[in-house]
């Protein structure tokens, strides 16, 4: 039996959120200028209250991307019947810069996990062209990354990263 070593497969991002894909660029997600997102690492909700800095590495100025942040574990990971909850969409991100130069289609919403450990997934899709028409979803609730990508002709992601977070109690806050 083959062993899974891709953290996106181990974390069930591939399979539950998106189909298997090959990364062609790299994204760096950093909160508060010092908390970088690494696959499967835990961040406290109190440290991710404001939108992060997102950088695309390996693209070029003629290529534009759409970024999606979603939580596939709503309301809880053992029974995610409300899967997925949309936290953020930014379009028209130039391939050699960060999202501050993109167009925020859905404003950033901070993670607020209530039950269990939630995965917060950032997915980067290559657009066919600049200012590609990307339709804003009607709701953040019951969002489906696969369906959204299909409806907006985005194809498979070109990069992804996720972190885990759970509800903070007074003794866990740092």
């Amino acid at each position: 039996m083959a062993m899974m070593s891709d953290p996106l497969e181990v974390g069930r991002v591939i399979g539950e959120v998106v189909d298997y894909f090959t990364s062609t660029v790299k994204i760096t997600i950093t909160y508060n200028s010092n908390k970088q997102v690494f696959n499967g690492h835990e961040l406290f909700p109190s440290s991710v209250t404001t939108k992060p800095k997102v950088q695309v590495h390996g693209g070029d100025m003629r290529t534009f991307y759409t970024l999606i942040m979603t939580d596939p574990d709503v309301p809880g990971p053992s029974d995610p019947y409300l899967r997925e909850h949309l936290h953020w969409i930014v379009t028209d991100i130039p391939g050699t810069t960060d999202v501050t130069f993109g167009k925020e289609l859905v404003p950033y919403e901070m993670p607020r996990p209530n039950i269990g450990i939630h995965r917060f997934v950032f997915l980067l899709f290559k657009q066919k062209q600049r200012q590609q028409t990307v339709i804003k979803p009607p709701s953040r609730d019951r969002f489906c990354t696969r369906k959204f990508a299909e409806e907006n002709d985005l194809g498979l992601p070109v990069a992804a990263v996720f972190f885990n977070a759970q509800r903070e109690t007074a003794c866990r806050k740092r």
Side-chain angles (χ1 to χ4, degrees):
M1 178 186 278
M3 292 189 56
M4 289 190 294
S5 60
D6 184 332
L8 296 171
E9 287 184 77
V10 174
R12 299 179 332 275
V13 170
I14 292 175
E16 291 183 7
V17 181
V18 293
D19 295 326
Y20 185 82
F21 69 95
T22 301
S23 294
T24 56
V25 296
K26 184 177 184 236
I27 54 173
T28 304
I29 314 282
T30 310
Y31 282 95
N32 304 317
S33 74
N34 65 350
K35 295 220 183 274
Q36 186 172 337
V37 173
F38 293 102
N39 283 321
H41 288 209
E42 183 175 2
L43 295 177
F44 292 107
S46 59
S47 69
V48 295
T49 58
T50 58
K51 61 183 158 186
K53 180 178 183 181
V54 179
Q55 294 177 295
V56 178
H57 309 279
D60 60 61
M61 287 306 290
R62 296 179 312 275
T63 308
F64 292 85
Y65 298 93
T66 293
L67 176 79
I68 295 172
M69 179 186 176
T70 184
D71 174 358
D73 299 317
V74 178
S78 62
D79 186 18
Y81 65 90
L82 295 175
R83 174 179 294 162
E84 303 164 39
H85 184 80
L86 177 64
H87 282 269
W88 198 24
I89 296 179
V90 182
T91 65
D92 294 323
I93 303 165
T96 57
T97 188
D98 63 49
V99 299
T100 57
F101 293 99
K103 176 183 164 194
E104 196 172 54
L105 187 65
V106 175
Y108 180 80
E109 178 182 272
M110 68 177 268
R112 290 188 182 105
N114 285 327
I115 304 165
I117 300 170
H118 288 237
R119 296 165 292 164
F120 293 91
V121 183
F122 294 91
L123 298 147
L124 191 69
F125 294 86
K126 183 178 176 182
Q127 296 176 190
K128 303 275 191 241
Q129 64 200 25
R130 184 177 188 192
Q131 297 180 337
Q132 178 173 332
T133 301
V134 176
I135 300 164
K136 182 178 178 179
S139 171
R140 290 178 186 262
D141 297 322
R142 296 185 187 264
F143 179 77
C144 179
T145 299
R146 283 185 180 99
K147 184 178 175 188
F148 180 83
E150 183 181 316
E151 289 172 348
N152 290 284
D153 197 23
L154 294 171
L156 291 171
V158 294
V161 66
F162 77 100
F163 69 90
N164 295 321
Q166 60 185 308
R167 185 173 176 212
E168 287 180 80
T169 59
C171 63
R172 285 194 80 230
K173 289 187 179 183
R174 292 182 193 165

